[in-house]
Amino acid sequence: MTDFPKRESRQVGVLSLIAVIMVLAGLKLTTFISMPMGLTFLAAALVWPIQVKLEKKLPRIAAVFISLFLVVTVLVATFMAIVFMIRVVGEDWRTYAERLNEILANLLQWAQVHGIELTRGEFDLQSLGQEFLAFLQPAAVYVFGLVGALFLFIAYLLLLLLEVPEFEKKLKITIGTSTSRKMAEAAARSAHNVRNFMYALGLVSAATGVLVGLFTWFIGLQYPLVWGLLAFALNFIPTLGSIVSVIPPTLLAVIQPGSGIGLVMLTLIGLTLIQFTMGNYIAPKLEGRFLALSPLVVLFSIGFWGFIWGIPGAFLGVPLTAAAVVFCDHFEPTRWLAELLGEKAAKKPEPSELSSEKET
């Protein structure tokens, strides 16, 4: 008789694991639908305080459309920045190809002098162009998929901002006032922490982008504005993004006409110092009190959500994981999971902060 509770507990654990695996598989298979939904919840958490303040002075529908307009403006600015970076760098690709040919020729000559046999095919500009066009086909398909997901995201966000108050009322009716209150408090606390984390991350990313842009301009590396924008964007992927953002400008320093080993080393060392300082001293002070995730969980969440949703998942992974940890910490049965994934307890907002954000 005493084995039944243990057996039932094991069955519940196995069924829960199967359910989690099925949900994750569903997210992977329905990326086109589920990824915009994840982005929607993050965007709603960021603009909700703005909408609450607007609703105090304007009709609700007007406040929703103004909030939506702000989000769309940020997305359009991001798209224009990406187009700018591609256009600026792409204009001189022939010059870089010729410079790369020169470097390879010098390397081959050095190897022959030292008795090392190396062979290579000519770095032909025409074949490079053909390979680039071949690459554009799958890239174009991916971009069109992102555009479709973007329109779906806008529709999701509009409906979510319109129906949040009604959803809270339905929640109270269907599952009871006390339970719905706990869920609302957990959701408000999760949104509060994620919102402040994203604000802090944006501030650190902007400061890093400015430093990178000024540094590359000072040392004479081409396209300092591009490298500043790239550092700003990639730093929204904690830890991994700061490492990746050092690679493109360093590669450009190698093939930039008139450059030498001094520019390459200066670029690599300088950018690494900037990213190391911002990532290990400045960012933890601003983000740590809201993130509450261990460094291992941060890296795992980036890789995991990147596998599930691709590049957008890498950007969304840490905020979504942080929100889930804060939400789990609010309930006793799942608090162990928050303690397992978290490095330390996140700063709990004061009740007045949560209540002011929930007012409509």
Side-chain angles (χ1 to χ4, degrees):
M1 295 295 292
T2 57
D3 290 337
F4 285 113
K6 293 182 179 179
R7 185 181 305 171
E8 182 178 348
S9 177
R10 286 195 296 267
Q11 291 176 349
V12 171
V14 172
L15 291 176
S16 300
L17 180 61
I18 294 174
V20 170
I21 294 174
M22 292 181 65
V23 168
L24 294 177
L27 292 176
K28 175 68 175 178
L29 294 174
T30 61
T31 298
F32 180 78
I33 299 175
S34 58
M35 184 270 291
M37 190 174 296
L39 183 60
T40 299
F41 284 109
L42 179 61
L46 294 176
V47 301
W48 183 250
I50 299 176
Q51 181 176 331
V52 169
K53 293 180 180 179
L54 289 173
E55 286 185 6
K56 295 178 180 179
K57 301 179 181 179
L58 299 173
R60 183 178 164 202
I61 188 67
V64 168
F65 276 99
I66 291 175
S67 301
L68 186 64
F69 174 77
L70 293 175
V71 174
V72 172
T73 301
V74 173
L75 292 176
V76 170
T78 303
F79 175 76
M80 292 178 64
I82 294 174
V83 171
F84 167 78
M85 289 189 290
I86 295 176
R87 181 175 61 84
V88 169
V89 178
E91 287 177 351
D92 296 329
W93 71 273
R94 287 183 176 272
T95 303
Y96 300 140
E98 293 172 358
R99 171 62 174 164
L100 186 57
N101 263 329
E102 180 184 344
I103 293 174
L104 292 176
N106 293 334
L107 178 61
L108 184 61
Q109 183 180 2
W110 178 88
Q112 290 176 349
V113 170
H114 290 79
I116 303 174
E117 294 185 4
L118 291 178
T119 58
R120 70 168 179 89
E122 184 66 21
F123 194 72
D124 184 52
L125 296 180
Q126 184 176 359
S127 62
L128 177 64
Q130 292 175 352
E131 293 176 3
F132 181 71
L133 291 176
F135 166 76
L136 285 181
Q137 273 189 320
V141 173
Y142 184 77
V143 169
F144 279 118
L146 286 181
V147 171
L150 177 62
F151 282 105
L152 193 60
F153 156 72
I154 294 174
Y156 281 158
L157 183 60
L158 175 61
L159 296 176
L160 181 61
L161 294 177
L162 285 172
E163 296 189 9
V164 166
E166 296 298 326
F167 181 77
E168 289 182 352
K169 295 178 182 178
K170 293 178 182 179
L171 198 62
K172 293 179 181 179
I173 295 174
T174 55
I175 64 176
T177 304
S178 59
T179 305
S180 64
R181 186 184 300 113
K182 289 188 66 176
M183 293 186 66
E185 290 175 356
R189 180 181 155 201
S190 298
H192 178 275
N193 279 39
V194 170
R195 181 164 49 250
N196 282 279
F197 164 68
M198 291 300 297
Y199 292 159
L201 183 61
L203 181 61
V204 172
S205 299
T208 304
V210 171
L211 290 175
V212 169
L214 290 175
F215 174 76
T216 52
W217 168 79
F218 180 76
I219 64 176
L221 191 66
Q222 291 180 334
Y223 318 124
L225 182 58
V226 170
W227 307 131
L229 290 173
L230 184 66
F232 167 74
L234 289 178
N235 270 267
F236 276 92
I237 305 178
T239 307
L240 190 61
S242 60
I243 298 173
V244 174
S245 65
V246 176
I247 299 175
T250 303
L251 292 178
L252 180 73
V254 174
I255 62 175
Q256 178 174 306
S259 66
I261 188 64
L263 181 62
V264 176
M265 296 305 298
L266 188 61
T267 302
L268 178 61
I269 295 174
L271 295 182
T272 301
L273 285 176
I274 291 174
Q275 295 289 356
F276 180 82
T277 303
M278 298 298 293
N280 289 276
Y281 296 100
I282 307 300
K285 293 182 180 180
L286 293 177
E287 302 166 8
R289 61 199 297 251
F290 305 111
L291 184 59
L293 296 179
S294 67
L296 179 61
V297 173
V298 170
L299 288 177
F300 176 78
S301 62
I302 294 171
F304 175 78
W305 289 105
F307 168 76
I308 297 293
W309 286 340
I311 295 176
F315 283 90
L316 295 173
V318 176
L320 290 178
T321 304
V325 168
V326 174
F327 198 92
C328 290
D329 186 53
H330 198 80
F331 297 93
E332 186 64 33
T334 56
R335 191 162 294 159
W336 65 271
L337 183 60
E339 295 176 353
L340 179 66
L341 297 178
E343 184 179 30
K344 56 184 178 181
K347 173 186 176 293
K348 296 184 179 181
E350 298 296 329
S352 59
E353 294 177 340
L354 296 179
S355 61
S356 63
E357 292 176 359
K358 291 166 60 179
E359 291 178 1
T360 57

